[in-house]
């Protein structure tokens, strides 16, 4: 069974139509219409729109028949889109060039190892409080791991409101063929003048796919055990997953 949010179709369709109109009218000099700004606008709108989930073709047919309600919803969504465009363009992501417009996601059509997202939490070993104000780095073969895109940073800088949680989504690794098995070894490293350096080693077994994953999924997530930092001279917990 597959759930589908029909509201997402309406939002994405209207966003592309509005952004394409902005491009045709040469409004790109004032407003950015790149893929990242489109997706940020979509996220803004969908977080403020009531979802409409369907699970079958009967649900699709019923959704199409609700014409009046759909028209009102589209009008409300259009208002939210223009509001989102304004907010996104005043707070553009600094990790993107904001110049390319094309297919978002993978689309390489080449076999790859899709590394799952990696999630962990970092605590102060002296008082068990969540850590903030430090950077967490992900390494493989001695090098910083390249992330999927600019929405995922490495190093990851911990701030107070994340409660010690850090996340990584490594870029897919090319494979010779689909359904190949490989074990990837990673190291999470934390260096801070206030704590002993932490190196946490772990492994992730991956089966290659025929194409790179284009969307993030909680179903494909590796959760690390809680990690602890200790003052200089304290204990350091190096674990192997």
């Amino acid at each position: 069974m597959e759930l589908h949010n029909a509201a997402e179709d309406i939002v994405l369709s209207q966003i592309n139509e509005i952004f394409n109109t902005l491009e045709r009218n040469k409004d790109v000099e004032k407003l950015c219409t790149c893929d990242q700004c489109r997706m940020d606008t979509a996220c803004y709108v969908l977080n403020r729109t009531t979802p409409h989930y369907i699970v079958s073709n009967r649900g699709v047919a019923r959704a199409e028949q609700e014409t009046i309600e759909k028209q009102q919803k589209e009008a409300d969504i259009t208002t939210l889109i223009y509001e989102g465009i304004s907010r996104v363009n005043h707070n553009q992501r600094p990790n993107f060039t904001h110049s390319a417009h094309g297919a978002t996601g993978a689309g390489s059509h080449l076999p790859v190892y899709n590394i799952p997202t990696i999630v962990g939490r970092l605590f102060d070993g002296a008082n068990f409080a969540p850590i903030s104000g430090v950077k967490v780095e992900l390494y493989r073969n001695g090098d910083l791991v390249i992330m999927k895109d600019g929405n995922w940073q490495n190093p990851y800088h911990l701030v107070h409101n994340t409660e010690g949680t850090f996340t990584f989504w490594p870029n897919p690794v090319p494979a010779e063929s689909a359904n190949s098995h490989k074990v990837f070894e990673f190291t999470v490293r934390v260096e801070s003048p206030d704590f002993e350096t932490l190196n946490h080693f772990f492994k992730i077994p991956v089966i290659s796919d025929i194409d790179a994953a284009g969307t993030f999924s909680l179903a494909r997530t590796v959760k690390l055990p809680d990690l602890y930092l200790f003052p200089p001279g304290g204990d350091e917990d190096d674990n192997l997953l």
Side-chain angles (χ1 to χ4, degrees):
M1 181 177 67
E2 182 177 348
L3 284 172
H4 181 71
N5 181 9
E8 185 175 322
D9 295 331
I10 299 174
V11 169
L12 294 178
S13 176
Q14 284 191 246
I15 282 177
N16 283 325
E17 181 178 341
I18 290 173
F19 272 80
N20 290 342
T21 299
L22 291 174
E23 289 182 343
R24 288 194 298 269
N25 294 339
K26 308 299 182 182
D27 286 329
V28 290
E29 296 179 1
K30 301 177 181 178
L31 298 170
C32 180
T33 60
C34 75
D35 284 333
Q36 184 59 47
C37 286
R38 291 180 186 226
M39 294 306 294
D40 284 341
T41 302
C43 186
Y44 177 90
V45 175
L46 285 169
N47 281 332
R48 291 161 178 78
T49 303
T50 302
H52 188 177
Y53 291 105
I54 55 179
V55 295
S56 65
N57 59 341
R58 188 183 298 275
V60 174
R62 185 177 296 114
E64 286 299 319
Q65 291 173 358
E66 297 171 351
T67 307
I68 296 178
E69 181 181 347
K70 182 179 177 181
Q71 289 177 342
Q72 181 58 52
K73 181 178 292 186
E74 289 180 345
D76 295 339
I77 288 174
T78 299
T79 300
L80 279 174
I81 289 174
Y82 281 107
E83 181 180 313
I85 289 173
S86 176
R87 287 179 177 267
V88 167
N89 271 265
H90 280 87
N91 298 278
Q92 291 185 6
R93 294 180 183 269
N95 302 304
F96 290 85
T97 60
H98 296 279
S99 59
H101 172 53
T104 300
S108 62
H109 304 298
L110 296 173
V112 295
Y113 293 100
N114 284 306
I115 312 298
T117 50
I118 299 167
V119 179
R121 295 188 69 191
L122 193 61
F123 296 90
D124 188 327
N127 56 22
F128 303 104
I131 291 285
S132 62
V134 302
K135 64 179 181 180
V136 184
E137 300 172 315
L138 182 68
Y139 284 87
R140 177 172 175 255
N141 298 329
D143 297 320
L144 278 173
V145 178
I146 298 174
M147 294 292 100
K148 174 73 174 178
D149 58 43
N151 289 316
W152 303 77
Q153 285 78 51
N154 187 20
Y156 185 99
H157 294 269
L158 286 175
V159 294
H160 179 71
N161 60 4
T162 60
E163 295 290 330
T165 300
F166 58 87
T167 59
F168 298 106
W169 190 11
N171 203 38
V173 177
E176 293 185 359
S177 62
N179 297 316
S180 298
H181 294 249
K182 186 171 183 177
V183 176
F184 291 83
E185 298 183 359
F186 295 98
T187 302
V188 166
R189 181 179 300 168
V190 183
E191 294 181 293
S192 169
D194 298 324
F195 300 96
E196 292 281 357
T197 297
L198 169 72
N199 287 296
H200 175 76
F201 307 96
F202 62 99
K203 300 178 181 179
I204 301 178
V206 183
I207 300 176
S208 59
D209 299 311
I210 59 174
D211 201 356
T215 57
F216 162 75
S217 172
L218 286 174
R220 293 177 53 86
T221 298
V222 171
K223 186 174 182 180
L224 301 179
D226 291 341
L227 304 177
Y228 296 87
L229 292 180
F230 294 91
D235 295 327
E236 182 178 330
D237 185 18
D238 292 347
N239 297 301
L240 183 64
L241 180 64

